[in-house]
Amino acid sequence: MRIDKYLWCIRYYKTRTLATTACKKGQVRVNQEIVKPSREVYPLDTIELRKNQINYKLTVNDIPESRVGAKLVDIYRTDITPKEQFQAQELLKYSKDYYRKKGVGRPTKKDRRDIDDFTDEASLTEI
């Protein structure tokens, strides 16, 4: 089975076009080699893919006939992604919560006080 179709069948990508695009961008590797979307996948191949800033690692167990349900995905692949990848994603999510989104408007009074406190602390450490 083609790598793009396999990744779509085991639900790593919502559409086959997204899987093909990821392969073309070099975000998918099979046995440590960057692959084209037409690369064939066989059982016991190791797939590495980068999606949402997480480097997933999978081992192919079997080839599905067509797209499978979410409960049956584990029959066709073994996820060997290190837990550190998911922990780094959690830390990144928490760090983004504090900052305001671009274009939200003027800073609030609390934001202004925080900025003033930060600049006062920075000027004191320079002295």
Side-chain angles (χ1 to χ4, degrees):
M1 178 180 280
R2 291 171 51 117
I3 183 70
D4 60 343
K5 188 173 181 182
Y6 179 78
L7 292 173
W8 171 73
C9 284
I10 62 167
R11 299 183 166 269
Y12 271 88
Y13 291 99
K14 193 171 186 177
T15 64
R16 191 162 164 196
T17 306
L18 290 174
T20 303
T21 305
C23 292
K24 287 180 180 176
K25 287 182 179 180
Q27 296 174 347
V28 179
R29 295 172 179 258
V30 175
N31 299 328
Q32 286 85 31
E33 296 178 4
I34 296 175
V35 294
K36 293 181 179 180
S38 61
R39 164 73 153 70
E40 292 290 319
V41 178
Y42 302 103
L44 302 179
D45 279 348
T46 303
I47 300 173
E48 299 173 22
L49 66 110
R50 182 162 176 82
K51 183 180 171 198
N52 298 332
Q53 298 181 345
I54 297 177
N55 295 323
Y56 292 97
K57 292 184 182 180
L58 325 165
T59 303
V60 178
N61 293 341
D62 197 10
I63 306 297
E65 293 294 320
S66 63
R67 190 166 167 99
V68 296
K71 293 181 180 178
L72 303 176
V73 168
D74 289 334
I75 296 170
Y76 300 103
R77 60 103 173 132
T78 303
D79 192 1
I80 54 173
T81 306
K83 300 298 179 204
E84 294 83 35
Q85 294 290 327
F86 297 109
Q87 292 170 352
Q89 182 69 13
E90 287 292 320
L91 290 175
L92 186 65
K93 184 172 64 172
Y94 287 127
S95 69
K96 288 183 179 180
D97 285 345
Y98 175 74
Y99 298 105
R100 296 165 45 93
K101 293 190 188 307
K102 186 175 181 179
V104 174
R106 294 177 54 179
T108 62
K109 282 185 177 181
K110 183 179 184 325
D111 292 338
R112 183 184 51 80
R113 287 188 206 111
D114 291 340
I115 292 169
D116 289 343
D117 290 342
F118 179 74
T119 55
D120 288 343
E121 290 174 11
S123 64
L124 290 176
T125 57
E126 292 176 1
I127 298 177

